Amino acid sequence: VRDVATGRSRRGDGESQKEKILKILAEIQAPLSLLILRFCHWALLKLLNRLFLSLQLHRGQLEMVLRAARTPGVPLVFLSTHKSQLDGLLLSFLLFSQGLGVPRVTVGGQVCSPRLRALLGRLGGIFLPSRTEQTLNDQDKGLPGAVLATYVEEVLRSRQPLLIFLEEPPVALHLSAPAREWLALVYRAVRDGAVPDVLLVPVGIAYDVVP
């Protein structure tokens, strides 16, 4: 990030570059809120009781996930298909309830209102930064990608679970463009030595009737 920000910048422009970097980072993620997490945990239980007759957990898959989580020094990257807009909340709820922490959940190309985006960010949602350039300076054009790549490296290095959805509903069996970008960032982190390796763990949700 420092190389991209200052490689061709004018002397004395460091403060404005720092502000641009922080603005891009704020687009990607927000600090987790323990209060909102606890409230949404309670509200989601109420919602699930109204939406579904039952919620069944596959014990074999759960054991596989827990066994992967016990691997020392290797971050977990969960991969899942995307069947409904509830998938992110449900998988986060299940992983959190099993003591795996609050995963960082990638949000694809869905259009979110500013309020919904802010709420999802507080619950662990992370977003691709805007590609709209606010400046004509050439050195700024690489900033969003550099900040995003560094952010993903830090998530993996700190062993925060990362959940990537491979497709966008209702399109099935088609790798989405946002998924390609998230996966490329994980590959880059391993290739560049930011982390020695990652564990790719498939997880999924099946519905009798998709809500």
Side-chain angles (χ1 to χ4, degrees):
V1 174
R2 185 183 301 113
D3 291 342
V4 173
T6 63
R8 284 175 289 176
S9 64
R10 297 186 303 274
R11 184 173 296 179
D13 194 40
E15 187 62 32
S16 62
Q17 290 289 349
K18 181 179 179 180
E19 292 173 357
K20 292 172 186 175
I21 291 169
L22 292 176
K23 183 177 180 181
I24 294 168
L25 182 60
E27 281 191 80
I28 298 171
Q29 61 99 46
L32 295 174
S33 171
L34 184 59
L35 179 62
I36 295 178
L37 282 167
R38 287 176 174 173
F39 173 77
C40 287
H41 187 276
W42 171 83
L44 188 58
L45 284 174
K46 300 292 185 184
L47 178 64
L48 293 177
N49 285 329
R50 291 182 175 273
L51 283 180
F52 304 113
L53 295 177
S54 65
L55 181 64
Q56 299 178 0
L57 191 60
H58 193 290
R59 292 295 178 182
Q61 189 180 52
L62 175 60
E63 178 56 33
M64 178 192 69
V65 172
L66 294 176
R67 187 167 62 249
R70 291 192 290 267
T71 305
V74 181
L76 298 180
V77 177
F78 297 106
L79 303 179
S80 180
T81 56
H82 208 171
K83 294 183 173 61
S84 87
Q85 301 296 347
L86 286 176
D87 290 355
L89 290 173
L90 280 169
L91 284 173
S92 294
F93 168 75
L94 292 173
L95 294 172
F96 179 71
S97 68
Q98 298 302 315
L100 296 174
V102 181
R104 286 293 183 174
V105 183
T106 60
V107 180
Q110 305 98 313
V111 178
C112 297
S113 67
R115 289 184 177 180
L116 178 58
R117 187 183 179 108
L119 175 62
L120 293 177
R122 291 288 188 173
L123 294 173
I126 54 176
F127 302 81
L128 294 173
S130 171
R131 299 305 182 187
T132 303
E133 301 297 341
Q134 302 295 329
T135 177
L136 297 178
N137 294 334
D138 287 340
Q139 76 256 14
D140 293 330
K141 293 183 179 179
L143 272 179
V147 174
L148 180 62
T150 304
Y151 173 77
V152 171
E153 289 179 3
E154 289 300 318
V155 168
L156 297 176
R157 190 179 291 116
S158 61
R159 296 200 65 194
Q160 298 180 62
L162 180 63
L163 173 59
I164 298 177
F165 286 105
L166 301 179
E167 57 193 11
E168 296 288 339
V171 180
L173 302 178
H174 179 72
L175 191 64
S176 67
R180 292 176 188 272
E181 187 161 358
W182 290 113
L183 290 170
L185 290 165
V186 173
Y187 168 74
R188 173 178 169 176
V190 177
R191 182 198 65 190
D192 294 347
V195 290
D197 201 356
V198 296
L199 275 178
L200 301 179
V201 183
V203 294
I205 293 179
Y207 301 95
D208 288 335
V209 178
V210 178

